[in-house]
Amino acid sequence: MHVTHLSLADFRSYARIEVALGPGVSVFVGANGQGKTNLVEAVGYLATLGSHRVSSDAPLVRAGAERAVVRAAVTQGERSQLVEIELNPGRANRARVNRSSQVRPRDVLGIVRTVLFAPEDLALVKGDPGERRRFLDELVTARVPRMAGVRSDYDRVLRQRNTLLKSAAMARRHGGRGMDLSTLDVWDQHLARVGAEVLAQRADLVSALGPLADKAYGDVAPGGGPVGLEYRSSAAAAVEPGAAAADPGAAAPAGTAGLREQLYEQLIAALASVRAQEIERGVTLVGPHRDDLVLKLGELPAKGYASHGESWSFALALRLASYELLRAEGNEPVLVLDDVFAELDVRRRERLAELVAPGEQVLVTAAVDDDVPGVLAGTRFSVADGAVERL
Ligand SMILES: Nc1ncnc2c1ncn2[C@@H]1O[C@H](COP(=O)(O)OP(=O)(O)O)[C@@H](O)[C@H]1O
Ligand SMILES: [Mg+2]
């Protein structure tokens, strides 16, 4: 798929812009702070309903404006669609597809797909588990858009269960006899049912992505690696200490009801085993929200061990693997390379450029035109003073 037109109103630094885009490579060049990242961030927002830079919508709305609108015309094969999201910080966002009446924002997921490379990607390797969970869940949603709904169900059940645990913790502290714990049993079942679905999709993703990441790592850092991906499940660790890294996908074919059933039982058992602690602390201690993806470079975890260059190679490998996976499954994404070339040495720069150049649509931003390797010669745009102009 590719974006043929992007329009923004009051998004970040842009009051209003219209940009016509074609397939192939587009390079956006401009001095720092001129709005290059703001532009590609908008495309990423349509794909993920979030930003790779901030966790809330408020900074995405132009200072002084009440709402922002991001609209894109998208072509996939013969089919064209128009998607639109209105960001209303503090209130519900609105979305439309093909100018029809409103749909829920998450119903637009899957129309625009992106794989975005950015300086922030280093946090995939060096950062907290939450960074890697977000990486997995965004990719899960790009593969299986209905998972966005499952994910938000999970978050809701988790919040409600935590509220219940907090009041149980309070009641205990104040010497009460405690609450009726059968209510908690019901919430355990909700959490395990939705959580098992999240876990099954993540397991399926990790087993598909692992070999692609290893290959991509070899491509960006010839002679380096091997690298591997290991899902670390908090539930598995709770029921069977030492087995935290067990691959849930190994036991049953991924995506099957059998796997979900197995993960459900495991979550139920894990919740039972930590219940006393949970009531003590007032939070849910096991489930997909406490898991991690361990990135292994040889036998060692990359986090804490990999050099700066190796960490960069790993981050690039994860993005390239994501691209290969989506493409292989018939969901060709838009590739976005936000200011990454300046971060890389010449060799990695050239390798990366060669690997992404054949993409259906590649959007590149750079402060210095010379940092962009020659194979990415494409349509050039200048970004300055709130305007984007084709050169
Ligand atoms: N919500 C906003 N309202 C107005 N200006 C904003 C907003 N968010 C960011 N900006 C401005 O956008 C500029 C940064 O744009 P960015 O796309 O990150 O630059 P770059 O071209 O370096 O990638 C900064 O000048 C910043 O002040
Ligand atoms: Mg930038």
Side-chain angles (χ1 to χ4, degrees):
M1 53 131 316
H2 66 272
V3 175
T4 55
H5 193 93
L6 181 68
S7 43
L8 306 181
D10 291 329
F11 184 88
R12 289 282 199 186
S13 53
Y14 293 104
R16 217 190 154 89
I17 52 160
E18 305 286 335
V19 186
L21 295 166
V25 180
S26 298
V27 182
F28 300 90
V29 185
N32 282 325
Q34 292 299 310
K36 304 181 297 295
T37 300
N38 294 345
L39 193 68
V40 293
E41 189 178 37
V43 179
Y45 192 90
L46 291 173
T48 62
L49 302 182
S51 155
H52 67 291
R53 294 195 289 187
V54 288
S55 56
S56 77
D57 284 351
L60 305 179
V61 175
R62 194 162 71 97
E66 216 169 290
R67 65 180 71 86
V69 177
V70 180
R71 188 182 301 133
V74 176
T75 291
Q76 173 150 30
E78 306 277 273
R79 187 161 184 231
S80 290
Q81 282 182 286
L82 197 64
V83 279
E84 179 183 312
I85 297 200
E86 183 184 288
L87 288 76
N88 298 303
R91 286 177 302 130
N93 290 346
R94 298 153 176 253
R96 292 207 286 178
V97 177
N98 297 330
R99 300 192 191 280
S100 68
S101 56
Q102 286 179 25
V103 296
R104 287 171 306 182
R106 69 176 189 242
D107 292 331
V108 312
L109 289 168
I111 298 176
V112 176
R113 287 175 302 272
T114 56
V115 169
L116 189 143
F117 298 69
E120 287 80 3
D121 287 349
L122 206 51
L124 283 176
V125 183
K126 297 184 179 240
D128 294 336
E131 303 279 349
R132 290 175 289 280
R133 289 195 297 265
R134 187 162 72 97
F135 165 74
L136 290 176
D137 289 340
E138 279 181 6
L139 196 49
V140 159
T141 304
R143 294 175 89 196
V144 187
R146 71 167 184 86
M147 286 304 292
V150 175
R151 197 47 245 228
S152 75
D153 287 348
Y154 183 80
D155 292 340
R156 184 175 42 79
V157 172
L158 181 64
R159 270 199 308 277
Q160 285 169 340
R161 190 173 183 277
N162 282 342
T163 304
L164 195 65
L165 285 170
K166 257 186 214 91
S167 50
M170 287 280 263
R172 264 176 61 105
R173 255 176 247 137
H174 292 86
R177 269 192 309 113
M179 59 195 308
D180 177 8
L181 290 176
S182 62
T183 320
L184 200 51
D185 289 340
V186 174
W187 284 105
D188 285 9
Q189 288 158 24
H190 286 319
L191 192 87
R193 185 175 45 75
V194 191
E197 224 176 314
V198 174
L199 289 176
Q201 288 294 341
R202 285 188 187 168
D204 188 51
L205 172 62
V206 170
S207 60
L209 200 62
L212 296 172
D214 184 44
K215 182 179 175 300
Y217 192 94
D219 288 338
V220 283
V227 303
L229 308 181
E230 221 170 70
Y231 191 77
R232 183 148 298 174
S233 158
S234 55
V239 289
E240 202 184 323
D247 174 7
T256 61
L259 175 62
R260 279 203 303 279
E261 185 60 27
Q262 200 178 312
L263 291 165
Y264 173 86
E265 296 299 340
Q266 187 182 59
L267 274 167
I268 290 287
L271 288 166
S273 77
V274 297
R275 179 173 281 190
Q277 266 173 285
E278 286 190 333
I279 290 174
E280 182 98 359
R281 295 175 50 185
V283 286
T284 299
L285 294 172
V286 294
H289 66 292
R290 304 280 288 207
D291 294 353
D292 198 359
L293 176 69
V294 181
L295 309 175
K296 295 191 78 175
L297 182 55
E299 289 305 306
L300 294 171
K303 183 174 176 174
Y305 291 89
S307 71
H308 190 72
E310 287 168 335
S311 299
W312 254 115
S313 296
F314 216 137
L316 293 175
L318 289 173
R319 295 299 183 195
L320 286 166
S322 306
Y323 170 50
E324 285 303 329
L325 182 67
L326 292 176
R327 189 159 70 148
E329 292 175 348
N331 295 318
E332 168 105 25
V334 176
L335 287 167
V336 179
L337 281 75
D338 181 29
D339 213 15
V340 287
F341 293 112
E343 304 273 340
L344 303 174
D345 56 47
V346 175
R347 217 175 53 146
R348 280 193 186 81
R349 218 184 261 181
E350 297 289 338
R351 292 252 163 203
L352 177 62
E354 275 162 35
L355 293 164
V356 299
E360 178 177 338
Q361 184 170 51
V362 188
L363 308 178
V364 179
T365 77
V368 180
D369 214 345
D370 289 347
D371 283 349
V372 182
V375 290
L376 293 178
T379 310
R380 250 57 189 171
F381 293 84
S382 79
V383 180
D385 304 326
V388 178
E389 271 165 39
R390 196 173 161 163
L391 296 172

